[in-house]
Amino acid sequence: MTRWRDMHADGAALHAPARGARFDVAVHAAWDARAPEGIDRARFRRALARQIRQDAWRALRTVRGFVPAVEVASDHSSPGRARVLATAGGRLDCRPAPRALIEHRLAELLADPASRLRWSRNAARAAARRGADPQEGS
């Protein structure tokens, strides 16, 4: 069983295995999202990274030796709007590494508007819960 942890630095949340993150393969995406009012932005980024990592794991669970990691940053310079900056990827402990397959699936995942909306909604709900840590149950 993999244990997951959250790390924070420079306004970004990193959700990765407890033994450390490594981005042997990475896909980047950015999209606009409605900034939830009254929501702690760090909690929102942490919950969003967790949502994306879970879907990345599901999309690539058949790739032996792939250990996902996700980093999420956000830009809240516009009132009521946020720009989400996500990096999905991870460690490749397999040879030969199916890098093209992983990049393709991660790019599709990050580009999916329905997934982005679901991640944002779930992350906002998780971040809004008082006293509850969105990391519980991972």
Side-chain angles (χ1 to χ4, degrees), residues 80-128:
R81 303 295 297 169
R83 185 93 174 137
V84 174
L85 310 166
T87 301
R91 183 174 56 240
L92 293 173
D93 291 336
C94 52
R95 299 288 180 250
R99 186 176 303 273
L101 170 75
I102 293 169
E103 288 174 344
H104 176 74
R105 286 191 186 165
L106 289 175
E108 280 185 332
L109 180 69
L110 290 178
D112 181 38
S115 293
R116 290 175 176 181
L117 182 60
R118 180 174 43 83
W119 297 331
S120 295
R121 285 181 178 165
N122 289 340
R125 275 195 296 267

Side-chain angles (χ1 to χ4, degrees), residues 56-101:
W57 184 261
R58 288 180 191 117
L60 293 160
R61 68 179 170 258
T62 60
V63 178
R64 291 192 177 271
F66 175 69
V67 182
V70 174
E71 183 175 52
V72 172
S74 58
D75 174 13
H76 292 269
S77 56
S78 300
R81 303 295 297 169
R83 185 93 174 137
V84 174
L85 310 166
T87 301
R91 183 174 56 240
L92 293 173
D93 291 336
C94 52
R95 299 288 180 250
R99 186 176 303 273
L101 170 75

Side-chain angles (χ1 to χ4, degrees), residues 1-8 13-25 49-50 53-54 56-57 65-71 87-93 135 138:
M1 172 188 248
T2 302
R3 294 190 183 267
W4 301 93
R5 73 174 186 179
D6 295 308
M7 294 159 271
H8 306 277
L14 176 67
H15 189 69
R19 62 183 179 202
R22 193 171 83 204
F23 284 93
D24 296 331
V25 61
R50 182 173 183 246
R53 193 272 307 162
Q54 287 173 334
W57 184 261
F66 175 69
V67 182
V70 174
E71 183 175 52
T87 301
R91 183 174 56 240
L92 293 173
D93 291 336
Q135 185 58 29
S138 68

